[in-house]
Amino acid sequence: MPDESAQLNPLSCKRCKHRKVRCSRLMPVCERCKAHNTECVYPQRVKRKVTRTLTDRLSLDASSTTDGALSTILERLQRVEQHCTTISAPSRDLRLSEDRAPDETPAPPPPPPPPLVPPPPRQASISSSIPNSIYNSVPSNFPSPAASSAGGGQATSSPWTALATPCAAPELDVASILKDAVDQVQRLQLQAISAAVITQNVRIPPELAKTWIKNYFTHMHIDMFLSLVNPKLIEMIPDLLEMPHVHLEPAILVVYYGILYHGCALGSTSEEMDEGQKYCQMLYVCCLRSLPLWQREATGTTTDLIAALFMCRTAAECLDEELSWKMYTYSCEYAQTLNLHNLDAHGSGSGSGSGSGSLEVDEAKLDADRKGFWELIQIDFFFRLLFNRPPAITDSMSTWKVNLPWLSGSTTMDLDAVPTVTFIMSSRLTFILSQFYRELENPDSDEATVRLKTEEYCRDIGRLFAEYQLDDWIQRAFASGARIDSWVLGDIALTGYTYIIFMLRKLVVLRSSSPRPVSSDADVPDSPLAVDAARGILRLMSSAMEHNPYPDTMCVLMGMYRAYVPCACLFASVLRSADVRERAEDVGLLETLVVSMERASRGEREFAPLLKAVRSLGMEVKRRMEEASSTPIA
């Protein structure tokens, strides 16, 4: 037993601790180390750091933040108090000079009251970076006492009287309000989808899937590169997925779920459409779950091209612009890998990547591939103009060897068919946009010349629509219940009107050094051409949401077409009017749009910020209309 008077170390020696035996802890050598005649080393005790709990840290942070905020508020109150004293002192002296006798000596002004709390140091104040002139300077709209007395009136005792007088209503930055609202909708939508990708259990009934596949191939026969899709294989997938030991390629699954996503909204009755809309988000979740595996295995095959195109379109309709752009760049890369940009070169294949060089090519399929490639070009210009993206495929147009479709003698054109007319019109829109960019990027063109030519390009779009009577055609399609034709024709009209607004907007945005300039009213073109285009877009939006009152319709309009910009254009134009009563037709159009958006949102919380923004703008328009009505005409 160790002597009780011997000095003990609080810790066991390293040798005993390593051997996991009891140590006597005698100083300087323990009994075991002494018996084995080995060196006895005791470890040094290290003081542990005091770790505060999360609650303690939060309470400290909250208290420090609260103290800093209170100090800032007190400092500003003291400055406002000094400011009021400085302004009201001349008025008080003026009143006293009027009340006292001429021979009286004015009493010295009383000293300002001491502050309740000493001001905090300047270093600890949040407002220390703000110059004192902001707080201590007198606003320019305050009337000076001298001017008031010179006018014969009595000087007011309150420095805020001038602010209470009626003045012109402040201008609202409508574009920023709507842009912020759409950004919030996009953020909420993507958050909901991200959570669903992780947690949602998705099962698509095979019978519903077969119905949606049939709807897609029946109604979407004009979709790009549809000739490269095998319909029989797609029709077999619902049954194949029910088999536990069958494995499908991820690219096939992306194409399959993309077809289901677009086919579920093509029901022939409202009941079928309502049933299909319940699965839209689920089907997009299925696309996203198949995406990582496909990206790891993609090699640039025809299936990869089709999968990229489906994901590009589906992501754009779900407000995921970044993913849509990424998928589009992949599709352009795969298209060039498949030699689709040399469809009409000597020895080229039919566009399927075979490269056989046979002269006996299926002309119908070749025309379909030509059409698909030209639609890739249209999408490229669309991204460049609306989303300020760099060119993905249009920067090397001089090296292509692709003719326009329907140019061979074996293919006839039906000018009354919607697919034929829409392709002709979209091609002409593409040529107009290519001329616009050629003029815009010409270093020898000055701003005045570019502006004049841009306005002429906008008028060309208007003349194109008038030539085919597009607006009347769309309304007839809506009235007759031809939903697919109305959507296809509406897509052309929305694209053309959007081109007009964004070409004019591009002239303003290009003055900014930022590649993605912030949207504001300064970027909304104040031009009659833009206002007319905005009216056309809002009419189409109201009709689309009236016949398809679903949240996905709003996603397509606000996401793909950035329809908040024409909304801001018309709202700002009405609010800038000297007399709002003269814009009664536009006010009615805006009211109809707000009602259509409320109906289409169906109470989903993701669209609450946008609805709140358009309601507030509508109330502001209504308020100014009432003020104009109550004002007597001079």
Side-chain angles (χ1 to χ4, degrees):
M1 294 292 293
D3 187 4
E4 294 181 358
S5 61
Q7 185 178 2
L8 299 179
N9 195 295
L11 301 176
S12 300
C13 71
K14 292 184 178 181
R15 186 174 183 274
C16 294
K17 185 176 181 180
H18 178 71
R19 295 170 61 87
K20 296 183 180 180
V21 296
R22 185 180 181 84
C23 181
S24 62
R25 298 186 288 118
L26 289 175
M27 294 289 292
V29 182
C30 71
E31 291 181 351
R32 292 184 184 275
C33 292
K34 185 177 181 180
H36 291 84
N37 195 21
T38 58
E39 182 182 7
C40 184
V41 179
Y42 286 99
Q44 297 292 329
R45 180 184 290 273
V46 180
K47 293 184 178 181
R48 295 182 179 179
K49 294 183 179 180
V50 179
T51 305
R52 293 189 178 95
T53 63
L54 179 61
T55 306
D56 296 336
R57 292 199 302 269
L58 290 177
S59 61
L60 288 174
D61 294 342
S63 61
S64 60
T65 304
T66 305
D67 294 341
L70 289 176
S71 301
T72 304
I73 293 173
L74 288 173
E75 181 184 3
R76 292 183 177 181
L77 283 175
Q78 291 162 9
R79 290 178 177 174
V80 170
E81 183 181 1
Q82 295 174 2
H83 179 66
C84 295
T85 305
T86 305
I87 296 175
S88 59
S91 300
R92 184 171 57 251
D93 295 342
L94 182 62
R95 291 197 308 272
L96 291 175
S97 63
E98 292 175 353
D99 295 338
R100 65 173 177 264
D103 55 348
E104 289 184 9
T105 303
L116 299 177
V117 180
R122 292 286 294 176
Q123 291 80 2
S125 173
I126 299 176
S127 60
S128 59
S129 60
I130 304 177
N132 290 334
S133 60
I134 296 179
Y135 296 102
N136 298 333
S137 60
V138 181
S140 59
N141 58 352
F142 284 170
S144 63
S148 300
S149 59
Q154 185 176 0
T156 176
S157 60
S158 172
W160 313 112
T161 305
L163 295 181
T165 57
C167 58
E171 289 293 334
L172 296 175
D173 195 349
V174 181
S176 297
I177 293 173
L178 292 179
K179 176 66 167 60
D180 292 342
V182 172
D183 287 344
Q184 293 181 49
V185 172
Q186 182 183 24
R187 187 162 51 250
L188 292 173
Q189 186 85 356
L190 295 182
Q191 287 176 357
I193 292 174
S194 300
V197 169
I198 301 173
T199 61
Q200 190 171 15
N201 184 19
V202 179
R203 184 185 181 277
I204 309 299
E207 295 304 321
L208 277 179
K210 293 177 182 179
T211 302
W212 297 336
I213 293 171
K214 181 180 178 181
N215 290 342
Y216 182 83
F217 285 108
T218 301
H219 300 294
M220 301 301 291
H221 51 84
I222 60 172
D223 214 350
M224 57 191 306
F225 291 117
L226 196 59
S227 61
L228 303 181
V229 180
N230 187 350
K232 294 183 179 180
L233 174 61
I234 301 298
E235 292 171 357
M236 294 171 57
I237 292 180
D239 295 328
L240 293 176
L241 291 177
E242 296 295 317
M243 301 178 183
H245 302 294
V246 175
H247 173 74
L248 296 175
E249 292 184 4
I252 293 291
L253 290 177
V254 172
V255 175
Y256 168 69
Y257 288 121
I259 289 175
L260 293 186
Y261 176 86
H262 294 95
C264 70
L266 299 175
S268 57
T269 63
S270 58
E271 290 78 11
E272 292 182 2
M273 292 173 58
D274 292 340
E275 181 71 18
Q277 289 294 327
K278 299 177 183 177
Y279 289 90
C280 279
Q281 181 174 320
M282 297 183 188
L283 293 168
Y284 184 53
V285 167
C286 293
C287 291
L288 294 178
R289 287 176 177 173
S290 305
L291 194 60
L293 289 176
W294 165 58
Q295 288 183 308
R296 285 197 293 266
E297 299 178 5
T299 58
T301 63
T302 303
T303 308
D304 294 331
L305 170 64
I306 301 302
L309 290 172
F310 270 109
M311 278 305 303
C312 170
R313 178 176 171 181
T314 307
E317 294 182 3
C318 293
L319 294 178
D320 197 344
E321 182 238 327
E322 290 293 334
L323 180 59
S324 177
W325 167 251
K326 183 179 180 181
M327 292 297 105
Y328 173 70
T329 57
Y330 286 164
S331 63
C332 293
E333 178 183 343
Y334 299 153
Q336 296 184 59
T337 301
L338 295 170
N339 208 30
L340 292 178
H341 60 299
N342 288 320
L343 286 172
D344 294 291
H346 295 292
S348 65
S350 62
S352 60
S354 60
S356 61
S358 174
L359 297 178
E360 297 179 358
V361 179
D362 185 355
E363 287 295 332
K365 184 177 183 302
L366 183 57
D367 271 347
D369 293 344
R370 289 168 178 159
K371 179 175 177 292
F373 187 78
W374 280 103
E375 288 184 358
L376 275 181
I377 300 171
Q378 296 165 16
I379 297 174
D380 192 273
F381 279 123
F382 194 86
F383 271 111
R384 288 179 65 181
L385 184 63
L386 269 69
F387 299 97
N388 297 310
R389 294 292 186 177
I393 197 172
T394 54
D395 55 345
S396 58
M397 295 177 64
S398 59
T399 62
W400 300 343
K401 296 179 177 62
V402 182
N403 295 329
L404 284 171
W406 299 312
L407 297 181
S408 62
S410 60
T411 305
T412 58
M413 293 177 56
D414 183 6
L415 293 179
D416 294 329
V418 171
T420 302
V421 173
T422 52
F423 181 76
I424 293 174
M425 297 180 70
S426 61
S427 299
R428 290 179 62 177
L429 289 176
T430 303
F431 289 138
I432 291 174
L433 205 57
S434 64
Q435 292 174 350
F436 166 73
Y437 271 105
R438 189 183 304 114
E439 190 66 34
L440 196 66
E441 296 168 356
N442 185 3
D444 299 330
S445 299
D446 57 350
E447 184 176 350
T449 303
V450 173
R451 185 175 298 277
L452 290 175
K453 290 189 176 182
T454 300
E455 292 177 353
E456 187 60 29
Y457 297 148
C458 296
R459 295 187 183 94
D460 288 342
I461 295 176
R463 286 190 285 266
L464 174 64
F465 289 173
E467 177 184 351
Y468 286 93
Q469 299 179 353
L470 185 60
D471 292 338
D472 295 338
W473 199 351
I474 294 172
Q475 296 304 323
R476 290 197 304 269
F478 274 123
S480 62
R483 296 177 53 252
I484 305 302
D485 289 349
S486 61
W487 265 112
V488 173
L489 295 170
D491 173 73
I492 294 295
L494 284 171
T495 302
Y497 287 136
T498 304
Y499 281 176
I500 292 175
I501 293 178
F502 276 83
M503 281 195 295
L504 296 172
R505 182 175 180 266
K506 196 75 169 177
L507 301 178
V508 180
V509 173
L510 284 179
R511 299 174 184 172
S512 173
S513 59
S514 172
R516 305 292 296 275
V518 179
S519 178
S520 66
D521 274 359
D523 300 334
V524 177
D526 187 13
S527 166
L529 293 171
V531 174
D532 288 340
R535 293 189 184 105
I537 291 176
L538 265 61
R539 292 191 193 98
L540 290 171
M541 289 175 61
S542 300
S543 298
M545 288 185 287
E546 178 184 354
H547 293 86
N548 300 275
Y550 301 106
D552 291 331
T553 307
M554 292 182 62
C555 287
V556 172
L557 295 172
M558 295 297 171
M560 287 183 60
Y561 299 99
R562 301 186 71 184
Y564 64 88
V565 175
C567 291
C569 181
L570 194 58
F571 265 118
S573 177
V574 171
L575 292 174
R576 282 195 295 260
S577 301
D579 190 352
V580 185
R581 292 173 295 182
E582 298 176 355
R583 307 291 297 275
E585 185 177 353
D586 291 336
V587 172
L589 182 58
L590 292 171
E591 291 177 351
T592 304
L593 176 68
V594 174
V595 173
S596 300
M597 293 177 66
E598 290 176 347
R599 182 186 176 197
S601 66
R602 299 206 167 192
E604 292 196 5
R605 71 177 188 90
E606 288 86 356
F607 296 94
L610 181 59
L611 292 178
K612 182 178 179 181
V614 295
R615 285 170 185 160
S616 62
L617 293 173
M619 291 176 63
E620 178 65 19
V621 171
K622 184 178 180 181
R623 184 186 66 82
R624 297 194 185 186
M625 178 76 79
E626 293 174 351
E627 288 182 356
S629 300
S630 61
T631 303
I633 301 177

